[in-house]
Amino acid sequence: AQSVSQHNHHVILSEAASLELGCNYSYGGTVNLFWYVQYPGQHLQLLLKYFSGDPLVKGIKGFEAEFIKSKFSFNLRKPSVQWSDTAEYFCAVNDPWGGSQGNLIFGKGTKLSVKP
Amino acid sequence: KAGVTQTPRYLIKTRGQQVTLSCSPISGHRSVSWYQQTPGQGLQFLFEYFSETQRNKGNFPGRFSGRQFSNSRSEMNVSTLELGDSALYLCASSLGSGLKNEQFFGPGTRLTVL
């Protein structure tokens, strides 16, 4: 069955540091990939998504992610983090056997703490 | 445009009871999905409804059920509650049920089972 791994449980960075959060999925077929963010006390919201085309995807708030099919990876990056980026980040993939986006498979999440 | 709303926001029940959670999708959205979020298991897909029909179901016991009404509002029900059902239950809505429809999440209902 499809699964998603996020390698870091908790990342602590200082402001202006660069960020890269790892995400790997297990199924090697056609997948749709997502990064969601949950700011403290707020709803899950979509940061960016990849369906097809350019493997470098740009999202909101300066985030980007690169899809590397050969590595089954979809890592999230930001060149310079801000204190306001403190949040929990979730990688997700659609379940291709489900035939519906309802079958999002989520990673366990990575908590990012940015020190001012 | 109002977002996804979930009621109640917090709920405390005891083992063996049943509970019903409600979700109102964004106006015009016809698909509603439910997820369970726990510290140990993370976010897990429960089921998806589109046009009052269950389209997909995750790997949860039959105690978990749901339905969708003609106005796209959805309810999920958990019968014979167990301690392990304590979780944040999230609802997400999207315009359609295809692979490329973005899901918008609600704030969740925090269920505590004592």
Side-chain angles (χ1 to χ4, degrees):
Chain A
Q2 179 68 268
S3 65
V4 177
S5 299
Q6 291 183 243
H7 315 298
N8 307 102
H9 179 64
H10 192 185
V11 172
I12 302 173
L13 295 173
S14 297
E15 275 193 317
S18 64
L19 169 72
E20 180 159 3
L21 301 182
C23 172
N24 287 90
Y25 60 95
S26 60
Y27 178 72
T30 302
V31 293
N32 296 326
L33 296 154
F34 308 82
W35 276 98
Y36 283 85
V37 61
Q38 190 168 32
Y39 297 102
Q42 294 188 28
H43 310 180
L44 265 175
Q45 55 184 282
L46 184 66
L47 261 184
L48 46 79
K49 59 191 176 189
Y50 172 79
F51 292 148
S52 62
D54 189 343
L56 187 60
V57 180
K58 294 195 185 301
I60 60 172
K61 304 187 181 187
F63 285 91
E64 65 179 29
E66 185 175 13
F67 170 54
I68 302 179
K69 190 172 183 178
S70 60
K71 294 184 179 180
F72 304 131
S73 71
F74 190 56
N75 293 353
L76 181 71
R77 300 195 293 244
K78 186 171 184 179
S80 176
V81 295
Q82 302 171 314
W83 177 78
S84 58
D85 293 324
T86 295
E88 189 158 15
Y89 294 81
F90 295 89
C91 181
V93 61
N94 77 284
D95 180 348
W97 302 110
S100 165
Q101 188 166 319
N103 289 343
L104 280 176
I105 310 297
F106 282 88
K108 292 286 179 72
T110 298
K111 287 185 182 173
L112 171 65
S113 299
V114 180
K115 298 183 293 185
Chain B
K1 201 179 213 182
V4 177
T5 57
Q6 293 186 244
T7 55
R9 293 293 310 278
Y10 301 91
L11 208 47
I12 299 175
K13 292 285 188 179
T14 55
R15 278 181 299 175
Q17 288 187 308
Q18 76 164 22
V19 67
T20 299
L21 313 181
S22 180
C23 171
S24 293
I26 291 171
S27 178
H29 285 194
R30 295 170 62 195
S31 174
V32 172
S33 298
W34 289 89
Y35 294 85
Q36 182 196 63
Q37 186 176 20
T38 59
Q41 299 300 317
L43 278 150
Q44 293 184 287
F45 171 72
L46 279 156
F47 26 65
E48 184 205 8
Y49 287 88
F50 178 76
S51 293
E52 302 178 65
T53 302
Q54 187 179 87
R55 295 293 298 268
N56 284 293
K57 190 176 193 304
N59 189 24
F60 279 82
R63 300 185 297 107
F64 291 81
S65 63
R67 59 179 176 168
Q68 187 180 35
F69 302 95
S70 57
N71 62 358
S72 294
R73 190 177 69 85
S74 177
E75 289 181 347
M76 67 163 281
N77 184 278
V78 188
S79 61
T80 319
L81 283 165
E82 300 177 359
L83 294 178
D85 297 333
S86 294
L88 181 67
Y89 290 88
L90 295 173
C91 166
S93 76
S94 59
L95 273 172
S97 185
L99 291 173
K100 297 188 189 307
N101 284 278
E102 179 181 342
Q103 294 195 340
F104 294 83
F105 283 82
T109 294
R110 172 78 60 187
L111 172 64
T112 301
V113 182
L114 302 176

